[in-house]
Amino acid sequence: GAVVSQHPSWVICKSGTSVKIECRSLDFQATTMFWYRQFPKQSLMLMATSNEGSKATYEQGVEKDKFLINHASLTLSTLTVTSAHPEDSSFYICSARDLRRTNTEAFFGQGTRLTVV
Amino acid sequence: AQSVTQLGSHVSVSEGALVLLRCNYSSSVPPYLFWYVQYPNQGLQLLLKYTTGATLVKGINGFEAEFKKSETSFHLTKPSAHMSDAAEYFCAVGVSGNTGKLIFGQGTTLQVKP
């Protein structure tokens, strides 16, 4: 149980285009999902908290108009990188937590490698 | 504010030797602490966690960690390293007692030599 799936695993896009990344909790409901960004050989930095049925909460310094987050259902959150540029190239990872269970950890997706050319 | 510091960005051990990865945290509230492992181009897998209760926590693959409040530490150990343990390890603290929203340390690359 507690599987989180991200799609796609990797994507290459042209500069100026938009890319959507999906994060799905496959066997539990997640009212909250988290999006992280990881540059090569660096740690994970929290970008935003995705809340089902409401607006996402962005961390300081993260452009909400650049990184659009939608959490339309209890099992799906999407991150759209709009007007992507080469500096947006990174590894994006989502996590989800089953809030019905207390003191449980968040489960991570396998990540999405975005390369903007 | 909460933070996590991992001492040593790169640790190298011989196969069969003790693994010790260091993590210190700063938190104004009782911390929830985690250790995750990441293999290249993959997501994170939870090794173990401390939320409440016993301060010595046992995890998967023979890893364990001890929460020491007086030292603000949560070091990860394994008695005998395997080649398959070579990976990136991250220590994390839950933000404001949240087990989902995490602040990560810088990561430690574990190399295991034959």
Side-chain angles (χ1 to χ4, degrees):
Chain A
V3 177
V4 176
S5 176
Q6 270 184 253
H7 179 81
S9 298
W10 59 270
V11 58
I12 301 173
C13 72
K14 291 185 177 181
S15 186
T17 62
S18 295
V19 174
K20 180 184 287 187
I21 302 170
E22 295 185 346
C23 179
R24 293 182 184 272
S25 56
L26 298 186
D27 51 3
F28 66 98
Q29 293 181 328
T31 55
T32 304
M33 293 184 176
F34 305 90
W35 287 96
Y36 295 84
R37 182 174 182 176
Q38 184 180 31
F39 289 106
K41 299 191 181 303
Q42 294 189 27
S43 188
L44 284 77
M45 298 297 294
L46 180 66
M47 298 175 65
T49 302
S50 171
N51 302 298
E52 187 268 335
S54 64
K55 292 183 178 181
T57 303
Y58 291 82
E59 296 300 304
Q60 189 173 9
V62 177
E63 299 176 60
K64 61 180 180 181
D65 295 329
K66 173 77 171 176
F67 299 100
L68 300 179
I69 292 173
N70 182 274
H71 194 153
S73 77
L74 289 173
T75 59
L76 173 65
S77 174
T78 61
L79 168 68
T80 301
V81 183
T82 62
S83 186
H85 290 283
E87 57 266 29
D88 298 323
S89 299
S90 188
F91 195 56
Y92 293 88
I93 307 176
C94 72
S95 69
R97 181 170 163 245
D98 186 348
L99 291 183
R100 295 170 301 176
R101 300 166 59 195
T102 58
N103 290 344
T104 60
E105 69 278 12
F107 299 94
F108 284 80
Q110 72 272 35
T112 297
R113 172 75 60 192
L114 170 62
T115 302
V116 184
V117 297
Chain B
Q2 293 164 290
S3 64
V4 174
T5 301
Q6 290 181 240
L7 300 176
S9 59
H10 190 99
V11 171
S12 181
V13 301
S14 298
E15 191 174 18
L18 171 72
V19 175
L20 170 60
L21 304 183
R22 300 178 186 273
C23 173
N24 287 88
Y25 70 90
S26 172
S27 178
S28 58
V29 299
Y32 290 169
L33 296 163
F34 306 83
W35 274 100
Y36 286 90
V37 61
Q38 184 181 35
Y39 296 97
N41 293 310
Q42 294 188 26
L44 276 69
Q45 181 183 14
L46 180 70
L47 288 175
L48 48 80
K49 64 180 179 182
Y50 169 79
T51 53
T52 58
T55 56
L56 181 61
V57 181
K58 295 186 183 299
I60 62 172
N61 301 338
F63 285 95
E64 64 180 39
E66 186 171 10
F67 170 61
K68 292 186 176 181
K69 183 178 179 180
S70 61
E71 299 178 7
T72 61
S73 69
F74 191 57
H75 301 331
L76 182 71
T77 60
K78 181 174 180 177
S80 177
H82 293 171
M83 296 297 292
S84 60
D85 294 328
E88 189 78 13
Y89 291 81
F90 291 98
C91 181
V93 63
V95 176
S96 300
N98 188 319
T99 60
K101 187 175 181 179
L102 303 175
I103 293 174
F104 286 87
Q106 305 90 316
T108 298
T109 302
L110 175 64
Q111 179 187 25
V112 181
K113 297 178 291 185

